[in-house]
Amino acid sequence: MPGCYCYDSTLAGLLTLYARLLPERVAVERISATPLEQQSLFSSEICIATDQAVAEAFWQRLTKRLSGNSLKLLRRCLLADHPQQELLIYHYLLLEAEQGWKVDGMLAHPQVAPVWKLSRQVGREAHRYLGFVRFQQLQDGLYYAAIAPDHRILLLIGAHFAERFRDQQWIIHDQRHGEGIVYDCNSKEWLLLPMEVTAQPDVTPEEAQFQKLWRSYFSTLAIPERRNLKLQQGKVPLKVRSYLTEFTV
């Protein structure tokens, strides 16, 4: 009978779970970072304790075994925010253990298609957010940008902004997932850290003036007779506009 399993919500915890279950090809009904509120009469949930050494060894084996395409797909899916992503990945890895690199060409397979689709969603969102990040200069000289993506894409966009703004101190804050990238222009390195901001950032007077000028330019440039709200929403979704200077009041 398929079982239910839980882990501590960390990447190491999930990798430990995969390392324990995959070799035995355990039938799994549910994998979650949150334990069930009520246990079923016919099945109980098993919590897998995190083992950092086991997780690291398992990841090293995966990186050596998987093809480049499969590894890219897996990395993106691990960053997804999806209620069944852990189970989808587990089924994909089960098939990959059987088929090896052949799995790259099995896009219509029921254990591959959902993972491939989820990977594309994460990659597409990361690409779009390269144009949806708006930095604002704070009083201490730091540049701060807030976003709220559906998926945890910071690891996918960090290198782009580190290259583009290499001479500035900046932060990109994912408010939805409570984490952020902190970039140090001296060491040219960036870190992904847990992050919560409870107050509105205090921008410089120059930043406030530039934002006002940008909104004015954006409004003046628009041609009312050629307004196409449907097209505009397709290019700039409503969910990101509250974080874009040109759409805020």
Side-chain angles (χ1 to χ4, degrees):
M1 180 180 295
C4 299
Y5 295 85
C6 68
Y7 65 105
D8 64 359
S9 80
T10 65
L11 176 59
L14 182 59
L15 293 177
T16 301
L17 184 148
Y18 289 152
R20 303 294 192 201
L21 302 185
L22 282 168
E24 304 297 328
R25 302 190 60 82
V26 177
V28 176
E29 177 184 354
R30 178 181 184 270
I31 299 176
S32 176
T34 56
L36 289 170
E37 294 183 1
Q38 292 184 341
Q39 297 290 337
S40 169
L41 180 63
F42 302 103
S43 64
S44 60
E45 189 170 55
I46 301 172
C47 291
I48 304 296
T50 300
D51 188 316
Q52 189 68 36
V54 170
E56 291 178 1
F58 176 74
W59 181 250
Q60 289 178 3
R61 292 196 301 272
L62 274 185
T63 55
K64 293 178 181 178
R65 190 182 78 205
L66 296 180
S67 68
N69 287 335
S70 290
L71 191 57
K72 180 179 179 180
L73 181 149
L74 177 61
R75 283 172 169 159
R76 286 181 175 179
C77 286
L78 287 171
L79 298 175
D81 192 344
H82 185 280
Q84 292 186 315
Q85 69 186 84
E86 299 96 341
L87 188 59
L88 294 176
I89 293 172
Y90 179 75
H91 288 154
Y92 176 82
L93 291 176
L94 277 177
L95 183 65
E96 187 279 331
E98 290 181 355
Q99 302 294 332
W101 286 21
K102 292 181 181 179
V103 76
D104 289 347
M106 303 170 65
L107 300 184
H109 194 283
Q111 290 176 235
V112 177
V115 176
W116 181 78
K117 181 179 179 181
L118 185 59
S119 172
R120 288 200 63 185
Q121 290 175 357
V122 175
R124 187 182 298 115
E125 183 177 49
H127 178 73
R128 296 190 76 179
Y129 262 90
L130 297 181
F132 291 155
V133 174
R134 298 291 185 270
F135 288 100
Q136 44 188 334
Q137 187 178 27
L138 306 187
Q139 293 287 357
D140 58 3
L142 186 72
Y143 287 84
Y144 172 84
I147 61 175
D150 293 332
H151 305 288
R152 300 175 60 214
I153 60 171
L154 288 180
L155 287 176
L156 299 178
I157 67 175
H160 169 85
F161 289 100
E163 176 66 24
R164 187 173 181 184
F165 302 109
R166 64 176 70 184
D167 60 343
Q168 299 169 1
Q169 302 280 125
W170 51 261
I171 289 175
I172 302 177
H173 179 202
D174 181 349
Q175 295 186 341
R176 182 186 298 274
H177 300 102
E179 58 188 17
I181 288 178
V182 180
Y183 176 77
D184 181 8
C185 64
N186 296 314
S187 65
K188 308 297 183 185
E189 295 179 345
W190 54 274
L191 293 173
L192 179 68
L193 301 171
M195 184 177 298
E196 295 291 342
V197 175
T198 56
Q200 187 70 18
D202 188 14
V203 301
T204 63
E206 295 82 2
E207 173 66 26
Q209 179 64 17
F210 271 113
Q211 290 187 12
K212 182 179 179 181
L213 290 172
W214 175 241
R215 294 189 193 99
S216 176
Y217 170 77
F218 183 76
S219 177
T220 303
L221 190 66
I223 302 175
E225 293 78 12
R226 300 186 65 181
R227 175 178 290 185
N228 186 333
L229 294 180
K230 184 176 180 180
L231 177 62
Q232 188 183 65
Q233 291 176 15
K235 300 294 185 181
V236 186
L238 294 176
K239 65 182 180 181
V240 306
R241 296 190 184 188
S242 61
Y243 298 92
L244 302 182
T245 305
E246 55 268 37
F247 286 99
T248 56
V249 179

